[in-house]
Amino acid sequence: MTSAQPVAARSEALPDAVTAVRGARWIATAAVAAGVLNYVYALALTRLLDVSAYATFAAGQGLVVCTAAVAVVTVPWMLAQALARARSEAERAEAVRFAVVTGVAGGLVAALVVGTVSAQFAGAATVAAISAATFLIYVTRVSAGWLQGTERLRTLAVVTAAEAVLKLAVGLLFVSVLGLGETGALAAFAVAVVPYFFCRPRHRHGGRGRPWLAAAGNRALWRRAVGVASLQGVVALMAAVDVILVAILPTDRSAAASYQAAVMLGRVPLFLAGAVSIAFLPALSRRRAGTPLAGDALRMYLMVALPMTAVAATTPAALLDVLFPSGYARVSSLLALTAVTGLALGALTLLVTFCQAVNDYACLLPLLTGLLLYVTGLAAGWSADGVFGMAVGGMCGTVTALALFAVRHARRYGFGPLKGLFGVSLLWPPVLVAALALLRPHTVAWLLAAVTVTVLALWWFFGRRSEPTGGGAPEPAASGPAAPPDEERSVRLLVDAVWRGRPRPAGDAELLGALAVARRNQVEGLLARAYPDRLADIRAEVDAATGLFRRNLAESTALLRSAGIPTVLIKADLSGDYVYGNFDLVVPTGRWQQAQEALAGWYVHRERYWLERSSKVLLEPATGPSAHLHIAVSWFGVPVVPTDRLFARAVPGDGGNGHGNTGSTDGTDGTDGTGYSSNTGNGHGDGVGWLVPCPADRLRIWLAHALFQNLTLDLSELLALRELLSPPVVAEARREAAREGWSAGGARALATALAAMERLDRGEPVPLPVPLPVATSLRAGAEHSGHLLGAGRVRTAAREASLRVPLVVTKRVRRRVP
């Protein structure tokens, strides 16, 4: 594709490939953190529980992990694929509804199955804990699929790590403080899923007919769900059957616990493969079979899994004796075998993911053959030499299953995905194993070498500046993918075209990078107008979104106007584009419930965020952006701009043809003593159903939004601020901010914005969106809560003071989400 062709046709190329690789790093980071915490949890339980209780816990954990492995891919991966391939909002909504149905139904079935199995080795309370944990894991995987399908991989990583932290803390509390034993240790799995409830998907419940029944009857989604469940059910069974068998078969409890502990250490590559698969699945689902991007995934896995396997396989017995109590003496003789098994299982997981991405469910037959070989190896090994023989047989069975599946994959799709092997030298793994094995008798020397090897592998994976080799277009051209552009060049192109009004010639890759940055800053329409021929599709998309916004705004405010309820539209520039998913309307004090009733026939779904349930409601129509109804200009239930004064100073909206009357700019509020602006008539102006804030209020609202909510100012907000920087408006805004108790914070936010604008004017590099210093937001919160306390609003002040730090931390993390 030459630079003369429309870039919009390839607008997903750059985000697709880069998001997959960078997302894999984030998910892998979370997997490593979760793995470390899980290992700490398991190691702590070896000290807190006796051998028999730990064996019961390990068997129950194996059941939960086995069924959760199916849930982790059946529900979220099916949803992620559907979201990645969806061509309309209706398709996305139906996919979400289907995921909810299958999550609940699958959770009930899985809970019944694990309850029946666990009853063979555990008491009633422990069985109940295992069943509850299984059901809740299934239900909450809908949130994981939503984050994965929308490629919010950093948020998914944070939630994954939070789940592990919560499980560790709650489990240790239940066991060590409350004395609940293995039952409490397993009940922690159920409590740990709480973070997923805060990331539940946003979807529309409305539509014609019975949308939930229609979703449940979607045959295409059922075929995909059954296919994913079948494939991942086999993989999960391979990963957990040995742990369950060793707990059921008649053997010494010490030997069984040693085997389970060795499996725990040897399955690190399996968790890593799962992380890479999660990150790459949406991108792979938009491609044909055999895409080279699969080679990137395989190489990322091998570059870390191989050295970790070498380290695990050569761990000195003296070091294991320090880590485990005396009842786990056989861990050292089993760990090398379980480590190789974990490496093979991880590679098999990736190959299965490649098949899932292209709906190749026919690979189930060779996968079942591999499972049969694996179980045969376990049984033969058990008969020959007990637990040690089981470890040998499991390793041989897994490696054989992987070889068979890899041959089938290569014959069907060629060697494209296997090219990832050529990025990994086949010589250094055996050399590394030999070197570590020679150092094994010398524990300190081995430990230093193992730490060095692990750090280097992790540095390559997480720290090395590398880009994907597989490209990103859904159907790569024969000439190969374009190289990713330099981020700084893309930002400069955007700034030149949108901020400085000087569009310049650019290659496809650079323009794609600028488009990705423009989307994050809500100025893609302005960029499309700067390059009308090459971004024609983007311009049409933005025009359509803006049209839906103006339609929904007009419809909702007309209904409110007919009910006698005035509204003020905030954080929207009616003269430009509007691509955001909702718009904000403030209603007068005491009219919030009445406003919702007036819009009862307009929206199809109503939702409230739990931190703002008493001050804001989201009303979603069948199509187009939703309406946010506020009782005040507030964030997280803490009002910043008084509602009565906002209405008193508001001016009529202009319906989208400019800013209209700009209102007072000389320090007066323009009122006639009645409480509303004298030029608003009935509160709506002539023929327009809404008001807009006066310039000084608009300036303060943009700054307050950055200070109290986003901790950033994107390019669209800087453009809006630039139009409001006349000295009279700024002076009036300063006086009002002082009246409201956040003048110092507002001044710092404005200074940050002005400094960024000066750099943009000079064409210097600026991070977009522009981050506000965390200290500025914290100080603004402290200043404002002190003002509220002085005004006698103790509960509101306490609310802001208690929420400010956790909200700033949360927003700081979410600000980096792609």
Side-chain angles (χ1 to χ4, degrees), residues 22 186 261 356 467 551 603 785 790:
R22 295 177 181 174
L186 290 166
Q356 283 180 203
E467 298 295 348
R551 185 201 69 183
Y603 67 88
S785 59

Side-chain angles (χ1 to χ4, degrees), residues 413-427:
Y413 303 120
F415 289 91
L418 300 182
K419 289 180 180 178
L421 290 171
F422 301 121
V424 181
S425 172
L426 300 181
L427 178 62

Side-chain angles (χ1 to χ4, degrees), residues 498-566:
V498 173
W499 182 267
R500 306 177 75 194
R502 302 174 186 174
R504 53 181 171 80
D508 281 358
E510 186 179 5
L511 189 53
L512 283 172
L515 178 59
V517 180
R519 288 189 184 278
R520 294 199 299 269
N521 287 268
Q522 301 184 69
V523 292
E524 58 263 44
L526 295 175
L527 182 65
R529 287 176 175 82
Y531 296 92
D533 295 330
R534 300 172 65 192
L535 295 176
D537 290 350
I538 302 301
R539 180 171 179 176
E541 173 189 314
V542 171
D543 288 344
T546 303
L548 287 173
F549 155 66
R550 291 176 178 167
R551 185 201 69 183
N552 287 3
L553 174 65
E555 289 178 353
S556 58
T557 54
L559 290 171
L560 293 169
R561 179 182 185 181
S562 65
I565 303 173

Side-chain angles (χ1 to χ4, degrees), residues 677-704:
S677 178
S678 58
N679 59 357
T680 64
N682 60 4
H684 301 284
D686 297 331
V688 178
W690 63 86
L691 304 167
V692 295
C694 72
D697 288 355
R698 286 207 301 272
L699 176 61
R700 288 197 330 288
I701 290 171
W702 285 121
L703 293 177

Side-chain angles (χ1 to χ4, degrees), residues 28-87:
T29 301
V32 170
V36 170
L37 292 171
N38 288 335
Y39 291 155
V40 170
Y41 184 48
L43 288 173
L45 291 178
T46 63
R47 306 280 181 176
L48 296 173
L49 301 175
D50 58 41
V51 172
S52 177
Y54 183 81
T56 301
F57 161 76
Q61 177 182 243
L63 273 176
V64 173
V65 170
C66 178
T67 54
V70 180
V72 162
V73 290
T74 303
V75 177
W77 287 24
M78 178 279 301
L79 178 57
Q81 279 188 296
L83 293 174
R85 296 173 178 174
R87 293 168 294 180

Side-chain angles (χ1 to χ4, degrees), residues 266 269 302 304-316 335-336 339-340 343 428-437 440 446 449-450 453-454:
L302 291 175
V304 181
L306 284 173
M308 284 189 169
T309 301
V311 169
T314 60
T315 304
L335 184 54
V340 176
L343 177 68
W428 66 263
V431 172
L432 177 61
V433 171
L436 290 173
R440 191 181 185 192
W446 179 92
V453 168
T454 303

